[in-house]
Amino acid sequence: GASTQKGRHGQLEGQPGLNISRNFDVFRGSLTQEQALDQTDLMPPKRKARKPADAIDLTEMASSQEKKQRVALTTIAKEFICPITQELPISPVTAEDGKVYEETAIREWFSKKDGAPTSPSTGAVIGTKLFPAPQARNTIEALIQSGAIAGEIAEAWKQKLEDEKEVKETRAEAEGGDGEAMYMLGAWYREGVNGLAKDDVQARAWYERSAAARHPKGMAAFGELLLLGIGGPEDNVFGVMNVTAAAELGSDVGAYFLGYAFFRGAYGLPKDSIRARFWLTKVVNGECEVKHLNEAGRAEAAAWLRALQDE
């Protein structure tokens, strides 16, 4: 199917897959243990006595002390690793089991849990109240900036910090009326990326705002969720209105859905091979100016077009 997901909505054969409008192309090692001092270095040689200052290899002592500190810091860092993601959290919270978690991860854990909520760490039943842990965030940041925590786990945290910054900036642009920013927020919520928990209701809300701003990608994505009943009730009339407007503004996702609708006689539209061929040809030949259809969607459109040509 055209989707990166396996689920299907509706009973129509060949129904477009979910979320075809977006195709996103996210500590190892342990510190060496302290090496024991070579006791012979602490003993004076037989032939020539050393001065007191020469009796101890100060470089080795300093290196040993540094290793002890790094082991201690690594132990501290491990206390902050989220038991769910196995990464250092960017938005740490403390759950009622006393453990520190990434906020989005623990909230998703609770939302998907059948029956009484349990601790991801102990399996014991716990309440769902979460407590912000800014001190954990500050400690993690200080350890990484100092180089005390390095390697893949530190790089992953830095990337999440960049993602957080990008989401904050994009949200500000969206609140200022930027249709592209609204669409991007919708796509991130739809996919559950950039530190945002997957949330179809939020995705639909941001797509709707983007559509209201007459952004072609937003109109197509909003129309898709309306037609498939994702993040809210199914609405064929409003869905067709949005994908049609998007297609006319150059969206290949809009053209894809119109082509499918006329090919199958779906979403309240009649079967119409001429209109189906018109829109599907635009998709397959790359004639749409606004391209955000994934590869699977293009392949599906090509298959429908071949079927029409064989008629």
Side-chain angles (χ1 to χ4, degrees):
S3 170
T4 56
Q5 301 182 31
K6 295 181 180 178
R8 293 284 186 185
H9 283 240
Q11 302 301 314
L12 291 168
E13 180 185 356
Q15 171 109 351
L18 307 189
N19 197 30
I20 52 80
S21 64
R22 192 71 184 158
N23 182 26
F24 287 86
D25 283 328
V26 205
F27 179 174
R28 287 200 180 95
S30 58
L31 295 173
T32 304
Q33 294 297 313
E34 172 191 0
Q35 299 295 318
L37 289 173
D38 185 347
Q39 296 300 314
T40 58
D41 286 347
L42 302 180
M43 298 172 62
K46 293 180 180 180
R47 294 186 179 178
K48 181 180 178 181
R50 291 183 179 178
K51 296 177 181 178
D54 295 333
I56 299 174
D57 186 339
L58 297 179
T59 303
E60 188 173 352
M61 289 289 284
S63 176
S64 175
Q65 183 64 26
E66 183 180 338
K67 288 174 183 175
K68 285 181 180 179
Q69 291 175 348
R70 289 182 66 84
V71 168
L73 291 172
T74 302
T75 302
I76 294 170
K78 286 179 179 178
E79 291 299 312
F80 294 125
I81 292 176
C82 173
I84 300 173
T85 66
Q86 291 301 305
E87 295 181 344
L88 293 168
I90 202 77
S91 298
V93 292
T94 303
E96 291 189 15
D97 61 0
K99 299 291 185 180
V100 173
Y101 296 91
E102 181 70 78
E103 183 176 7
T104 55
I106 187 65
R107 288 192 186 281
E108 185 174 4
W109 170 274
F110 286 146
S111 69
K112 291 183 176 180
K113 191 71 176 175
D114 293 328
T118 59
S119 163
S121 301
T122 67
V125 174
I126 60 171
T128 58
K129 190 170 183 180
L130 301 173
F131 306 91
Q135 71 283 0
R137 163 76 179 248
N138 294 340
T139 302
I140 292 167
E141 189 166 6
L143 290 172
I144 289 176
Q145 287 182 348
S146 70
I149 301 176
E152 291 184 17
I153 196 168
E155 292 306 313
W157 191 87
K158 290 177 183 177
Q159 182 59 55
K160 287 195 289 185
L161 195 64
E162 287 298 314
D163 291 343
E164 181 186 61
K165 180 182 177 184
E166 185 177 12
V167 168
K168 184 177 180 180
E169 291 173 351
T170 302
R171 195 180 297 276
E173 291 170 359
E175 295 293 356
D178 187 318
E180 173 73 14
M182 296 172 188
Y183 167 76
M184 291 306 301
L185 280 175
W188 293 341
Y189 274 115
R190 185 84 176 89
E191 293 286 339
V193 297
N194 278 21
L196 297 177
K198 181 174 168 55
D199 187 330
D200 287 336
V201 174
Q202 281 284 347
R204 180 159 162 162
W206 280 110
Y207 283 155
E208 182 172 12
R209 290 181 64 176
S210 180
R214 301 287 297 172
H215 191 275
K217 291 182 182 178
M219 296 177 90
F222 181 45
E224 175 189 355
L225 299 197
L226 286 166
L227 293 175
L228 300 179
I230 297 171
E234 186 177 307
D235 189 333
N236 283 346
V237 174
F238 201 23
V240 168
M241 286 174 57
N242 274 274
V243 297
T244 300
E248 290 172 347
L249 289 173
S251 163
D252 58 358
V253 170
Y256 166 91
F257 272 96
L258 274 185
Y260 168 79
F262 286 121
F263 173 61
R264 293 291 187 195
Y267 310 130
L269 294 179
K271 260 192 173 185
D272 188 325
S273 60
I274 294 175
R275 285 184 170 85
R277 190 177 291 111
F278 174 81
W279 289 111
L280 293 174
T281 298
K282 281 184 171 292
V283 174
V284 174
N285 291 350
E287 297 171 8
C288 300
E289 293 179 6
V290 183
K291 295 177 173 60
H292 56 128
L293 182 66
N294 64 25
E295 187 176 341
R298 290 191 295 272
E300 211 162 29
W304 296 334
L305 188 58
R306 285 194 299 272
L308 286 168
Q309 292 167 345
D310 292 341
E311 289 181 354

